Amino acid sequence: MQPKAAIMQAMHWDDLQFFLSLARTGLLTIAARQLDVDATTVGRRIRRLERSLGGQTLFVQGRDGHVLTEAGRRLLARVETIEREADAIAGGGDQADGEDVRGHLRVSASEGFGTWMVAHHLGEFAGAHPHLSIDLAANSGFLDPSRREADVAILLARPQRGPLITKKLSDYRLCLYAARAYLDRHPPIAARSDLPAHRMIGYVPDLLYSPELNYLDELGPAVEARLRSSSINAQYRMVAAGSGIGVLPCFIGDRDGALVRVLPEVAITRSFWLVTHQDSRHLPRTALFVEWLSTLMLRQRSRLLGESDGIVATATLSSLLQGQA
C-alpha cells in the first residue's frame, strides 16, 4: 500500500465531508440535515477525525454553535484546496463560469444592510447559481472571516489585522426620520437645538456591537435616545409607528413613503467594507459573490447615499415647517 493511501485510510477520508459541513454551518443539526444523517453521527465522525489527527481539537462549542479552532482553520484551508482540485478533476463542481458553481457560501452582514440590501436582491444571485447554497447571517454582530466563520463579511469598519483581503464596498448616508403622524402631533423642528424636546429613538449604548453605530453623539450632547433597541429594524418599526425620531440609513428610511426626513441638512456618512479570508478569496463561489455584490452596490449607489425617493419627502417637510413658522 502506498504511504498516501495509508494515511487516507487511517483518517477516514469521508470524515472530511462531515468536517466541511460543520465548519461551514457551525451547527450540528444543520450539518446533519445537509448530510442526511443525525446530529449524533456528525459528532461521532468529527471525534473520529480528531483522533486520526493525533488528538487535535478542531472545534470548540461557542454560544452560537461550533467554532473552528486554529487547528480547525488550518485543516479547513487544506481541505478546501483538495475540494477545488477534486471538483476540477470531475469536470464540475465549483467552477467559475456560472450555473455549475457548487458548494456552500456564508455571508455575514449588519442587520440593516443584510435585510434591506442583500436579502432584497439575493434571489438574483441565487437564481444565477442554482447549485450553490447560501447562508446570510444578518444580525447584530458579525462573523469573523479571519476565523473562517464566514466566507464574506460586510463590515462597518476596516479590520486592522488578520489574514484578510479588504476593500471599501460603498459609502452610505443616514438621516433623521419621523413618521408624518408623529410630526403632526408635535412642535416643528427647525434646528438641532429642538431635538432634545422630542422623543428620540436609537441604540442601547452598552449593546453597540460597533462604535460606528453611535450616531446620536454627532447630533449634540443633549440628544439622548429615550426609546432604544439593539436592532435597527426594531428602531425603524418604532419610527414608522410614530413613536419618535430616529437616525436611519437612507436605504431604509427612504423606502417608506410614510416617513419624512427631519432637518435635511443633517446627514451622517459611514462606509461598508467587504472582507474575505486571503485563502478563500479565489474560491469561485466567493469571487462570484464579491463581483455580484460590488456590481449591485454600483447600481444602488443613489439609494445608499440617499439621493432618490427621500428627497421629495424632505422638500415636502421643509415646506410644511416654513408654513408653521
Side-chain angles (χ1 to χ4, degrees), residues 203-256:
Y203 281 98
V204 183
D206 59 342
L207 295 180
L208 285 174
Y209 60 91
S210 176
E212 284 72 26
L213 299 175
N214 193 7
Y215 309 128
L216 293 187
D217 280 358
E218 299 186 26
L219 301 179
V223 180
E224 295 184 0
R226 286 152 56 192
L227 283 178
R228 307 187 299 191
S229 174
S230 60
S231 163
I232 189 63
N233 287 332
Q235 291 177 45
Y236 158 69
R237 292 294 184 186
M238 287 189 278
V239 173
S243 300
I245 301 169
V247 177
L248 298 174
C250 294
F251 60 80
I252 296 178
D254 289 349
R255 282 184 181 271
D256 190 333

Side-chain angles (χ1 to χ4, degrees), residues 77-98:
R78 298 179 69 180
V79 173
E80 286 186 329
T81 298
I82 295 169
E83 181 187 42
R84 292 196 302 272
E85 293 176 351
D87 285 342
I89 292 171
D94 203 359
Q95 301 296 318
D97 56 355

Side-chain angles (χ1 to χ4, degrees), residues 165-177:
I165 303 299
T166 304
K167 77 169 187 175
K168 188 175 182 179
L169 183 61
S170 178
D171 289 332
Y172 68 102
R173 291 200 181 104
L174 307 99
C175 291
L176 285 162
Y177 289 87

